[in-house]
Amino acid sequence: MSVPADRGRRLLPLLLPNHPLGRSETTCLYRCANACAHDAPNKSDNAYFGDVVREVVSRRGVLKAGAVLAVAGAGATALGAGTAVAAPVAPADVTADADLGGGRRKDGLNFTAVAPNTEDRIVTADGYESAVVIRWGDPVVPGAPAFDFDHQTPEAQALQFGYNNDFCGLVPLDGWNRWLMGSNHEYTTEPFLHKGYDANNPTEAQVKIGWAAHGFSVVVVEQDRRSGKLVPKMDRQYNRRITATTPFAVDGPAAGSKFLRTSVDPTGKKVLGTFGNCAGGVTPWGTILSGEENFNGYFAGGASITDPVALARASRYGLPGASTERKWERFDKRFDLAQEPNEFNRFGWVVEIDPHDKNSAPVKHTALGRFKHEGCTIRVAKDGRVVAYMGDDERFDYIYKYVSKNKIVKGDSKRAREQNKKLLSDGTLYVAKFSGNSPVAEIDGTGKLPTDGHFDGTGEWLKLVSGDKSFVEGFTAEEVYVFTRLAADKAGATKMDRPEDIEASPRTGKVYAALTNNTDRGKPGKEAGTEINPRVGNKNGHVLEWEENRGDPTATTFRWTLLLVCGDPATADTYFGGYDKSQVSPISCPDNVAFDSAGNLWISTDGNALGSNDGLFAVPVEGKYRGRVKQFLTVPKGAETCGPVITDRFVLVSVQHPGEITGASADNPLSHWPDGGTSQPRPSVVVAWKKDNGRVCG
């Protein structure tokens, strides 16, 4: 579906929403234990952002002169004071590309934007094709049986592609068209896995199928030279499944901590499984990182915690209820806090998987802190140290950074990789504190731009812990690593609107973070709008940009600005980098971010609050087209767009929970994607490419 060139009317009509934030009740129950229906766990009284602003108002002149990160591009130079509607760009700039993509463009985004829709299929920009690479139940390990929805077994699922794949990453293998593809399997939605599912009385087989459907898959994929499709290969050397029962090693300064020891593992150094894995990253040394996010919903027995200190620690992560939605605690005592109180602390970490060695134990890195990790991405500093950026995906939670103690070993040999796999085991963990530079009265929670035309300011990285030394008063180093949220509260970090995926531009080094939404902002007793989170009842989210001091990722200060304040471009509370808002695609609930080789930012969405299916969008971040958001594709109804991978020849997206619409289930499927007919919906990895096999960003 294309958008016609028509400057006399709105280019992209919006559809009426059919569910708050675009998610079904079932999705919310099984993915995050219905987090939005409960109070946010952050009840700390650390300084509200408004107080931080007041502290710097007296320094406003200095900040204006030396600490403002200006929005680049001609379209950003003439913003009207106090309004989120950007001044029109020069007529020559508009007519050169009036249909959101026709003609040649210096930014490389030479496609016509896809209009919002609710179709039950992948809709790509004109001139592009798409195909499923692999879907739930497809064989991963050689010898895996063909998928049979009505006759599933735990043994079969442990050899097949798992459920609800989120992050996707590619690690190059030999040759120009061969990769190791890694995929997270974040969670299972049991009413969609089994017909006749009884949520109150799941069978042991159903529970064990769920265990096997979580985790991670490694699959060799090749691109077909003729068709452009990406094809999975049954490779005995590399292909692998990791599940909720796979042994993981615990490393770093908290390995062996008393808070990680259980009756089954008195050493505190070996954990079974991973779940709630959301986004991740590919390291420069060829491994894959995965963030354990919404882990609290897998545990029961929260009422058994009577010690007030232990109760406060568990509550800060979302206190488990009396029972879980999946009832795993009935079949393994480790999911019951009354029997294994420390098992809860063994999740919420960044895990590292070596796809080159299927026999290697995946690792949980305690040096990166414990919280609801959306993901983890890596930059290499000029001095060779590595920096990891991480978001804690919860309302009013924080953005973190880790700087390694040691330096990267160059080369792609096994020896170099083994040395580099230790880089995330010893370093310094920081949390971000943001300051705005506008008068308090100009930030009123409506999304109205301050008089300087930008939401912007400065920030600092607050040191939390390094090795065995804590920098947080009242916390030991061990406590900072295991109860990182509480330490960050005490340090005075800035409360954010669900910080998710974070990526640094390979061209400029500037860093970009997706903040999905926060409908609690501004409610009674909650933090009001702030310059970095400028809207109360924030349904649509925003995208943050920052630049480390002198471009050094190890620096402890930075300058920031908001690139996008998302939503309907026709409304006054949105901002698109200063670009003409009549020439952009509507975008809601940014989740994952990635870059193409031209330096454009690509954004996938989760929970579109504007009534359309979720999608994948591209936006230039530099030059005169900065802020010009264009939708590249949409996913089927009920689905979320995850894990974008952008290459010159193809784009990958993960299509998570297709068909999860209120009222649907395996007994009443309301989507039949991707197989059509009367089939059940199946989460999948999808590839899109140009029909002429040309460059995606050509």
Side-chain angles (χ1 to χ4, degrees):
M1 298 178 66
S2 303
V3 181
D6 187 348
R7 302 206 67 243
R9 59 182 175 85
R10 280 185 56 210
L11 295 178
L12 295 168
L14 298 174
L15 303 166
L16 294 176
N18 53 22
H19 189 271
L21 299 185
R23 282 289 161 260
S24 75
E25 296 172 2
T26 303
T27 300
C28 295
L29 275 175
Y30 284 87
R31 180 171 65 176
C32 60
N34 213 8
C36 290
H38 305 285
D39 285 340
N42 191 350
K43 303 181 187 301
S44 64
D45 59 359
N46 57 310
Y48 274 4
F49 187 85
D51 299 327
V52 176
V53 172
R54 291 183 183 91
E55 293 172 8
V56 302
V57 164
S58 62
R59 299 184 286 120
R60 186 166 181 267
V62 176
L63 288 169
K64 288 289 184 181
V68 178
L69 179 60
V71 176
T77 60
L79 293 178
T83 175
V85 180
V89 295
D93 293 330
V94 174
T95 57
D97 196 13
D99 68 346
L100 281 169
R104 298 298 298 172
R105 287 266 300 285
K106 289 185 178 180
D107 61 39
L109 300 179
N110 191 34
F111 61 84
T112 300
V114 171
N117 65 80
T118 56
E119 296 194 35
D120 193 26
R121 64 186 182 98
I122 300 289
V123 180
T124 61
D126 287 347
Y128 291 80
E129 294 187 272
S130 67
V132 169
V133 178
I134 192 169
R135 53 191 168 306
W136 167 48
D138 284 349
V140 169
V141 178
F147 181 64
D148 186 340
F149 182 90
D150 293 317
H151 299 91
Q152 300 177 58
T153 67
E155 295 77 15
Q157 178 62 86
L159 304 175
Q160 297 164 335
F161 198 67
Y163 202 74
N164 274 340
N165 48 295
D166 194 313
F167 171 78
C168 184
L170 294 180
V171 176
L173 275 175
D174 51 293
W176 70 274
N177 68 332
R178 197 163 177 254
W179 299 266
L180 296 165
M181 185 179 76
S183 293
N184 286 348
H185 301 295
E186 184 179 6
Y187 73 100
T188 52
T189 317
E190 271 68 10
F192 286 82
L193 266 72
H194 310 288
K195 293 178 181 177
Y197 181 72
D198 182 351
N200 294 317
N201 295 288
T203 67
E204 182 176 5
Q206 288 171 337
V207 166
K208 290 184 175 180
I209 289 168
W211 293 350
H214 280 75
F216 199 83
S217 291
V218 177
V219 183
V220 172
V221 293
E222 295 180 359
Q223 188 177 31
D224 183 80
R225 294 174 184 266
R226 287 189 174 184
S227 69
K229 293 181 180 179
L230 222 58
V231 181
K233 299 294 181 180
M234 291 300 97
D235 191 286
R236 295 185 179 278
Q237 181 179 355
Y238 296 112
N239 285 16
R240 180 184 190 185
R241 274 302 322 281
I242 292 168
T243 73
T245 59
T246 300
F248 278 68
V250 181
D251 90 337
S257 163
K258 61 180 177 290
F259 300 118
L260 302 184
R261 298 171 193 162
T262 67
S263 65
V264 176
D265 173 32
T267 69
K269 294 182 178 181
K270 183 179 179 180
V271 179
L272 293 184
T274 188
F275 39 77
N277 303 72
C278 199
V282 176
T283 69
W285 50 92
T287 61
I288 297 176
L289 305 177
S290 175
E292 294 179 335
E293 190 189 57
N294 292 305
F295 62 90
N296 58 307
Y298 291 87
F299 293 89
S304 67
I305 305 174
T306 57
D307 176 74
V309 174
L311 181 61
R313 287 168 171 168
S315 297
R316 187 60 181 85
Y317 290 84
L319 185 67
S323 64
T324 66
E325 199 65 38
R326 297 176 181 83
K327 308 297 187 290
W328 286 7
E329 66 274 16
R330 296 182 184 177
F331 301 93
D332 190 333
K333 71 174 185 176
R334 68 186 177 117
F335 297 107
D336 183 354
L337 271 62
Q339 300 185 69
E340 289 288 3
N342 279 349
E343 187 72 19
F344 189 64
N345 301 330
R346 290 149 66 90
F347 295 85
W349 305 100
V350 169
V351 305
E352 184 171 15
I353 297 162
D354 187 348
H356 298 274
D357 183 0
K358 71 176 185 179
N359 297 314
S360 61
V363 173
K364 299 198 177 194
H365 286 298
T366 63
L368 301 182
R370 176 174 164 265
F371 43 90
K372 291 185 180 179
H373 285 274
E374 167 70 17
C376 182
T377 55
I378 303 294
R379 290 181 71 187
V380 180
K382 288 183 179 179
D383 67 3
R385 288 182 293 166
V386 302
V387 174
Y389 290 110
M390 300 166 286
D392 185 351
D393 184 9
E394 190 92 67
R395 293 161 293 163
F396 301 111
D397 262 293
Y398 310 130
I399 290 175
Y400 296 83
K401 179 170 83 170
Y402 165 91
V403 180
S404 70
K405 177 181 178 180
N406 297 312
K407 299 178 180 180
I408 193 168
V409 177
K410 295 181 179 179
D412 57 3
S413 67
K414 182 178 180 180
R415 177 183 172 278
R417 189 168 67 254
E418 291 301 319
Q419 288 296 314
N420 291 330
K421 283 160 63 174
K422 302 175 183 177
L423 290 171
L424 303 182
S425 304
D426 189 7
T428 304
L429 183 63
Y430 301 85
V431 69
K433 182 176 182 179
F434 296 86
S435 299
N437 62 12
S438 298
V440 175
E442 292 190 7
I443 307 299
D444 60 7
T446 66
K448 177 181 177 182
L449 281 172
T451 54
D452 68 357
H454 313 292
F455 297 110
D456 59 0
T458 60
E460 61 179 313
W461 292 106
L462 307 176
K463 189 181 292 188
L464 296 178
V465 65
S466 185
D468 61 0
K469 182 177 176 61
S470 168
F471 295 91
V472 182
E473 183 181 359
F475 285 75
T476 66
E478 179 184 33
E479 290 168 339
V480 175
Y481 290 119
V482 182
F483 309 112
T484 311
R485 281 183 165 182
L486 289 161
D489 293 343
K490 185 68 177 288
T494 299
K495 298 175 179 179
M496 306 294 284
D497 286 356
R498 289 187 58 198
E500 302 227 34
D501 203 8
I502 303 174
E503 290 277 354
S505 167
R507 290 209 164 193
T508 68
K510 294 178 183 178
V511 187
Y512 297 80
L515 294 110
T516 293
N517 54 50
N518 183 358
T519 54
D520 272 8
R521 184 165 292 280
K523 287 184 177 180
K526 305 291 186 181
E527 182 175 281
T530 65
E531 189 156 359
I532 198 164
N533 302 287
R535 293 180 297 190
V536 299
N538 179 11
K539 296 188 300 181
N540 293 302
H542 47 283
V543 176
L544 167 66
E545 172 189 87
W546 74 83
E547 185 173 21
E548 303 277 14
N549 187 33
R550 297 182 179 180
D552 179 5
T554 70
T556 56
T557 59
F558 56 89
R559 303 172 182 177
W560 67 267
T561 190
L562 295 189
L563 171 68
L564 303 175
V565 181
C566 300
D568 180 351
T571 62
D573 69 338
T574 55
Y575 173 74
F576 287 76
Y579 201 78
D580 177 1
K581 296 203 298 179
S582 72
Q583 295 290 305
V584 302
S585 295
I587 181 172
S588 175
C589 301
D591 187 358
N592 301 129
V593 289
F595 279 92
D596 61 32
S597 62
N600 300 300
L601 181 68
W602 292 65
I603 306 166
S604 64
T605 63
D606 170 17
N608 192 320
L610 301 175
S612 172
N613 289 351
D614 277 316
L616 179 65
F617 302 75
V619 57
V621 295
E622 302 287 337
K624 66 181 182 181
Y625 292 109
R626 173 181 167 91
R628 188 175 203 178
V629 173
K630 296 173 63 178
Q631 185 160 234
F632 176 73
L633 62 75
T634 55
V635 294
K637 60 185 180 182
E640 170 187 344
T641 317
C642 307
V645 178
I646 315 299
T647 77
D648 287 343
R649 289 180 282 148
F650 59 83
V651 169
L652 289 176
V653 293
S654 296
V655 180
Q656 195 184 63
H657 55 76
E660 287 192 13
I661 303 164
T662 299
S665 68
D667 295 300
N668 182 37
L670 298 180
S671 169
H672 304 288
W673 185 87
D675 297 328
T678 60
S679 66
Q680 298 286 341
R682 295 167 69 180
S684 307
V685 176
V686 169
V687 61
W689 69 98
K690 243 180 177 178
K691 290 180 179 179
D692 61 5
N693 284 328
R695 289 171 59 92
V696 169
C697 301

